[in-house]
Amino acid sequence: MSEEQKNMEAERSLSLEAQFEARIARDEKIEPKDWMPEKYRKTHIRQMSQHAHSEIVGMLPEGNWITRAPSLRRKVALLAKVQDEAGHGLYLYSACETLGITRDELYEQLHTGKAKYSSIFNYPTVTWADMGAIGWLVDGAAIINQVPLCNTSYGPYARAMIRVCKEESFHQRQGFEIMIKLAGGSPEQKEMAQDALNRWWWPSLMMLGPTDAESVHTEQSMKWKLKRKSNDDLRQQFIDQTVPQAELIGLTIPDADLKWNEERGSYDFGDINWDEFWQVVKGHGPCNKERMNARVGAWEGGEWVRDAAMAYAEKKESRKNKKVV
Ligand code: FAQ
């Protein structure tokens, strides 16, 4: 490329960037075929794929209880919830593919540990009350994080999130209803609910991401309107919403420093164990290995199905071509 051509190219991309920024400022949606800065594309692939992986890995802790649900009604609701999570993963993978990355590449990133998934799914589900706590707290936190994403700047992500949020709302109620029943049941049932709250509370706060001071992506993602609220703001919103719900059903949030702050109009809360969070994110949580083994095992175990589907499609295509001739 000559010097003159290089200058023209640089000018062209500067003007495209200015137009792009103006569209973001006007709250216009960016669509797959629109010009976008390479960093915008890569950041969206990172966040959307991690979100998709979280949905798929997130099926595992609850999948563990489908065969042991205490009644047919509970089983049906849990089964539907876990299926919804598979659906969320699929919409999000599809939305991600519009940015020019293939499904195989995305899976490869998950299976080799290159892509992250939410820390929360690396904790074990040891009692039935954990199904209640996950719906109430994990889906509760997910809704708070995801409602603002319905307004995110990338069209396919924003549209996927509208449906996801409607379904998450059913999940949250499904979980809270389990907690209401257990908390109002026998002393053993109430103890089981309290124990689940004790174990899931802090990981649910961590799930919303590192503090704003530690968050490396927030500033840029807010500028692009990918993120509409910061991690700390979402965490505070989650706490303020959830504490009265715990009080309503007679459970105690496991935080001795939790206190209503009249001046701020929200709760003060204790220190989060960020060492634990980073340990889990780096692969050293209680179930990281188990989760990855399950995903890689499913991928390898399903290879013959993918091969058979491809062979069938090729056979059908070659028959069609023969007829045309
Ligand atoms: N776990 O600079 P930031 C669900 C990483 S879906 C692991 O603050 P960002 C439904 C982060 O990736 C749950 N890693 O990053 C369900 C980055 O590392 P990187 C998932 C985490 O992107 C319910 C580094 O730390 N939801 O629950 C976590 O601005 C029940 C620095 O962090 C979504 O994915 C974490 N918790 O903010 C399913 C929502 N937090 O990428 C089944 C969309 C941070 O440079 C059952 N995502 N990291 O290597 C988001 O809103 C954002 O990506 C955040 C993180 C808020 C998660």
Side-chain angles (χ1 to χ4, degrees), residues 46 50 85 116 119 139 145 207 215-217 227 231:
R46 180 188 63 79
Q50 291 183 3
E85 282 149 10
K116 295 189 169 76
S119 51
D139 286 276
N145 166 266
M207 176 190 167
S215 167
V216 287
H217 300 297
K227 272 172 105 161
N231 300 356

Side-chain angles (χ1 to χ4, degrees), residues 142-266:
I143 295 173
I144 285 185
N145 166 266
Q146 291 172 13
V147 166
L149 291 175
C150 297
N151 252 326
T152 192
S153 61
Y154 188 55
Y157 194 22
R159 290 188 288 275
M161 291 320 297
I162 293 171
R163 174 150 177 194
V164 170
C165 284
K166 285 186 181 156
E167 291 173 350
E168 298 291 23
S169 154
F170 150 68
H171 298 170
Q172 195 271 350
R173 280 189 227 170
Q174 179 261 171
F176 191 49
E177 203 241 335
I178 292 175
M179 293 307 262
I180 294 175
K181 277 276 187 294
L182 290 175
S186 66
E188 289 81 4
Q189 284 172 320
K190 183 166 182 182
E191 201 184 308
M192 198 160 86
Q194 182 63 54
D195 168 62
L197 171 58
N198 294 348
R199 286 181 291 104
W200 289 93
W201 176 253
W202 292 102
S204 299
L205 299 189
M206 295 173 197
M207 176 190 167
L208 292 156
T211 60
D212 292 353
E214 294 282 314
S215 167
V216 287
H217 300 297
T218 296
E219 193 185 344
Q220 182 60 70
S221 291
M222 295 279 262
K223 278 190 195 146
W224 279 329
K225 297 182 179 169
L226 162 57
K227 272 172 105 161
R228 311 293 308 227
K229 285 189 177 182
S230 77
N231 300 356
D232 284 339
D233 285 351
L234 293 170
R235 196 167 6 254
Q236 187 69 58
Q237 193 182 334
F238 172 70
I239 292 169
D240 292 346
Q241 171 182 301
T242 313
V243 173
Q245 294 170 349
E247 282 169 2
L248 184 76
I249 60 174
L251 296 182
T252 309
I253 302 282
D255 179 356
D257 297 322
L258 190 75
K259 211 168 102 225
W260 178 251
N261 183 325
E262 198 63 55
E263 226 169 89
R264 288 198 306 125
S266 62

Side-chain angles (χ1 to χ4, degrees), residues 86-150:
H88 298 174
L90 295 179
Y91 319 146
L92 288 165
Y93 281 129
S94 301
C96 210
E97 283 173 290
T98 64
L99 289 164
I101 186 160
T102 66
R103 187 81 60 102
D104 282 359
E105 286 171 304
L106 293 170
Y107 287 153
E108 216 249 337
Q109 290 179 355
L110 174 68
H111 297 160
T112 55
K114 235 161 89 194
K116 295 189 169 76
Y117 60 89
S118 183
S119 51
I120 193 76
F121 302 117
N122 292 305
Y123 290 86
T125 43
V126 294
T127 72
W128 170 251
D130 290 3
M131 299 303 98
I134 290 182
W136 175 34
L137 303 174
V138 178
D139 286 276
I143 295 173
I144 285 185
N145 166 266
Q146 291 172 13
V147 166
L149 291 175
C150 297

